[in-house]
Amino acid sequence: MKILVIGGTGRIGSKVVDRLHAAGHEVVVAAPSTGIDVLSGEGLAAAMAGTEVVVDLANSPSFEDAAVLSFFVTAGHNILAAAAQAGVRHHVALSVVGTDKLAASGYFRGKIAQERLIRDSGLAYTIIHSTQFFEFLPGILQAAGDGQTLQLPTAAVQPIAAEDVADAVARIAQQAPANGVVEIAGPERESMAGLAQRFLQATGDAREVVGDAQARYFGAQLQQDTLVPVGQAWLGSIDFERWLQQSGLAQGQPA
């Protein structure tokens, strides 16, 4: 098949491209650096011609509320219009477990708008809801502040490694559309505060985490199960210890 991967130079996208190439597909990488801009629409129609599957992994470069919403709405309109014009048979988009419960966050309002556009497009689709990536842990800690004590939610998380995300996305792109949501997650579940403390200890960071049920996650109040699958989900195989070893971030490992 000809598969267009939007955001194909990114953390997940580059891995998905490698997997789809290895499976024998013709893969077009869409990114500003390859002359394809989903915001202006430049190069999009030409790249979409003859495409059977679109994998949308694009993400907003800004987390500011208005900028995020504008990105996902503009990009969504452009991508879906070009896909419909080209007769694309399967639109795959990567989103986040719990998105529909996180409307208090500007970022997730953008994702909610993106998902609504996909559902209303008339195209056959699969929306992949992923749990948080292990690779986001430093960013989650940074968002919690810069003091010696960090307050983080006690809500459950079930983080997944980027390698496992790429495996799932590539597999789903080669399957029939679900015309709904498919959830993916990592193999272990624990509190966000507990995971963050494990990461700090493993990386030799002396800061301490205090679990706070009222602490917000990128502006949103979390329930205990907001960020974890509530039903059946595909589970990756890489747990925290294995991811940490592979990442080179553990104390005593070369950076």
Side-chain angles (χ1 to χ4, degrees):
M1 294 185 291
K2 179 181 177 182
I3 302 176
L4 178 65
V5 180
I6 297 168
T9 60
R11 183 200 305 273
I12 303 299
S14 59
K15 299 177 189 300
V16 171
V17 167
D18 288 344
R19 285 157 173 76
L20 293 174
H21 270 309
H25 299 291
E26 176 190 352
V27 184
V28 176
V29 177
S33 61
T34 65
I36 303 167
D37 190 325
V38 296
L39 291 181
S40 69
E42 179 186 358
L44 195 54
M48 201 73 74
T51 293
E52 296 177 66
V53 179
V54 171
V55 179
D56 183 4
L57 305 174
N59 203 3
S60 173
S62 169
F63 274 38
E64 191 274 323
D65 288 3
V68 168
L69 184 61
S70 176
F71 176 89
F72 283 119
V73 170
T74 302
H77 276 300
N78 290 340
I79 294 165
L80 292 164
Q85 183 68 31
V88 167
R89 296 192 292 108
H90 188 187
H91 182 92
V92 179
L94 183 61
S95 193
V96 186
V97 164
T99 288
D100 55 325
K101 304 173 186 176
L102 293 165
S105 162
Y107 179 81
F108 288 101
R109 287 195 294 273
K111 296 300 289 183
I112 288 168
Q114 178 195 29
E115 291 188 20
R116 185 181 301 119
L117 287 171
I118 293 167
R119 290 190 176 94
D120 293 345
S121 69
L123 291 169
Y125 71 92
T126 303
I127 296 172
I128 303 170
H129 273 187
S130 173
T131 55
Q132 286 65 38
F133 306 164
F134 282 120
E135 289 79 4
F136 289 169
L137 270 169
I140 291 171
L141 289 166
Q142 184 178 15
D146 56 6
Q148 286 303 301
T149 301
L150 305 177
Q151 287 189 313
L152 283 165
T154 53
V157 290
Q158 198 167 332
I160 186 170
E163 294 287 345
D164 280 337
V165 176
D167 284 344
V169 172
R171 175 178 52 82
I172 289 166
Q174 298 172 81
Q175 295 177 342
N179 290 314
V181 171
V182 174
E183 293 191 318
I184 65 174
E188 297 177 309
R189 183 176 296 195
E190 64 181 301
S191 75
M192 182 181 290
L195 177 67
Q197 187 64 68
R198 286 175 71 193
F199 180 74
L200 290 179
Q201 290 172 343
T203 55
D205 192 317
R207 291 178 295 173
E208 292 193 8
V209 174
V210 174
D212 181 356
Q214 302 305 313
R216 292 186 174 266
Y217 177 71
F218 293 104
Q221 178 73 52
L222 301 178
Q223 301 301 313
Q224 184 61 24
D225 63 354
T226 300
L227 298 179
V228 294
V230 294
Q232 185 177 6
W234 177 88
L235 301 183
S237 62
I238 300 173
D239 62 14
F240 174 76
E241 293 298 337
R242 182 175 162 197
W243 169 79
L244 189 69
Q245 187 70 26
Q246 293 174 346
S247 73
L249 295 172
Q251 189 173 27
Q253 285 185 266

